[in-house]
Amino acid sequence: MAPTPCAAATSYSLTALPFTTSTHSTSSPSAIFFAKPTWKPKILHLRTTAAVSIQKETPETERPDTFLRESDDLAHSSSSSSSSSSVRARFEKMIREAQDTVCTALEAADGGAKFKEDVWSRPGGGGGISRVLQDGAVWEKAGVNVSVVYGVMPPEAYRAAKAAASPDQKPGPVPFFAAGISSVLHPKNPFAPTLHFNYRYFETDAPKDAPGAPRQWWFGGGTDLTPAYIFDEDVKHFHSTQKKACDKFDPNFYPRFKKWCDDYFYIKHRGERRGLGGIFFDDLNDYDQEMLLSFATECANSVIPAYIPIIERRKDLPYTEQQKAWQQLRRGRYVEFNLV
């Protein structure tokens, strides 16, 4: 089946594709435009700004067993679970295992190129592992990074990041912990799609001048697909894998987080979405913490089965210079979304 040139992606439905296969040659992409979504989500992120105090990074020569502070390895569990380790410790373990799994699969798909790794830490605790594979047989550039961060933010930043916090909470610096895995994968072949995923956990300690105040926590993340050319079977496979992961926990997760993804990755001034969506969620803490930790783990573990079969189908397809140019134009939209 001939692919559809992806000019302006829309929301994807598992029951009915909102696009038809183009009758035009793939060397002459046809524009596809869709209606602006009617719902604008309120997305709240903690951004690392000058107002947030985080210590300077220090390069390391070896990977440590953990980037957690010693007191966090078994302490700071903010759930009633009988598990012997904290949510912080188990989330770090999960993202580091996911990084290893994803990088191993990407190297295998490439057949030769290897990731280069940089390890860093911070004196007061925390650190990260950055891995980049570039100019391989399959991957133009692939990055898979994990980080563990300790810092302090002013009460204004905390209230902006978590609007539901108690208005009676005393002002004061708020210590926080954040950990996550983040990745962007750009294949060389224009018929192979770009993939982005990230999964993160955020937790605050009691403000320094309000000991005993309740600790706040939430999960965020998602996985989304951005093709330059649309193959129906690839999109169905990708979304079916996302739905399968979500359905293990709540049948409402996939439609809820799929819509969130569709609306979040919308480029307003162009009236188009960045890609063909996936799932996205943020500030998620309205379910049991153990369940959400398992959900984030399942989502991270679904990245490879959702993506690598598509890469195997598309990585060796012949393409023209014009098709490569179209891929670069669509990547410009990808960068544009991140800038605006």
Side-chain angles (χ1 to χ4, degrees), residues 59-141:
E60 300 288 348
T61 58
E62 295 183 358
R63 285 171 288 181
D65 292 334
T66 178
F67 290 106
L68 295 178
R69 291 171 177 168
E70 187 175 351
S71 59
D72 279 347
D73 217 355
L74 295 176
H76 281 98
S77 180
S78 53
S79 74
S80 59
S81 169
S82 59
S83 174
S84 62
S85 62
S86 67
V87 172
R88 296 183 181 191
R90 284 179 285 149
F91 192 84
E92 185 205 20
K93 181 175 183 292
M94 183 276 281
I95 60 176
R96 291 184 64 170
E97 289 176 349
Q99 183 186 42
D100 289 342
T101 300
V102 169
C103 289
T104 298
L106 297 181
E107 288 179 346
D110 193 272
K114 300 294 182 182
F115 278 90
K116 293 183 178 179
E117 178 179 279
D118 290 314
V119 181
W120 53 272
S121 67
R122 291 193 172 99
I129 303 170
S130 301
R131 293 178 184 168
V132 176
L133 187 159
Q134 194 164 2
D135 298 325
V138 171
W139 308 106
E140 199 162 288
K141 192 168 187 178

Side-chain angles (χ1 to χ4, degrees), residues 138-175:
V138 171
W139 308 106
E140 199 162 288
K141 192 168 187 178
V144 188
N145 305 321
V146 297
S147 61
V148 172
V149 177
Y150 293 88
V152 177
M153 59 180 170
E156 294 78 14
Y158 175 76
R159 285 193 290 270
K162 197 65 182 173
S166 171
D168 299 326
Q169 182 176 314
K170 293 182 180 180
V174 181

Side-chain angles (χ1 to χ4, degrees), residues 102 185 195 197 199 223 238 241-242 298-309:
V102 169
L185 311 175
L195 185 85
F197 74 90
Y199 291 96
T223 305
F238 177 77
T241 306
Q242 303 307 307
E298 182 69 25
C299 289
N301 290 342
S302 73
V303 168
I304 291 305
Y307 186 53
I308 292 300

Side-chain angles (χ1 to χ4, degrees), residues 183-262:
S183 176
V184 179
L185 311 175
H186 288 301
K188 283 186 172 180
N189 195 303
F191 296 123
T194 288
L195 185 85
H196 160 260
F197 74 90
N198 77 82
Y199 291 96
R200 55 194 178 273
Y201 175 68
F202 186 94
E203 188 178 291
T204 66
D205 287 327
K208 290 184 177 180
D209 58 354
R215 182 178 295 120
Q216 300 287 338
W217 59 266
W218 57 90
F219 291 86
T223 305
D224 61 277
L225 194 72
T226 304
Y229 291 89
I230 300 170
F231 292 85
D232 293 359
E233 62 180 312
D234 293 349
V235 186
K236 288 178 181 178
H237 169 78
F238 177 77
H239 277 271
S240 294
T241 306
Q242 303 307 307
K243 184 177 186 301
K244 182 179 178 181
C246 290
D247 286 352
K248 291 181 180 180
F249 298 87
D250 189 316
N252 294 316
F253 274 7
Y254 175 72
R256 176 185 172 189
F257 300 149
K258 173 188 172 298
K259 177 172 173 51
W260 203 336
C261 184
D262 288 340

Side-chain angles (χ1 to χ4, degrees), residues 266-269 333 335-340:
Y266 182 74
I267 306 174
K268 295 179 182 178
H269 67 282
R333 293 287 202 275
V335 174
E336 186 175 292
F337 171 84
N338 294 332
L339 292 175
V340 300

Side-chain angles (χ1 to χ4, degrees), residues 305-326:
Y307 186 53
I308 292 300
I310 298 173
I311 293 299
E312 293 295 340
R313 285 197 292 265
R314 308 302 169 201
K315 66 179 183 178
D316 296 321
L317 292 181
Y319 59 87
T320 66
E321 290 184 6
Q322 188 173 3
Q323 288 163 344
K324 182 65 178 179
W326 177 249

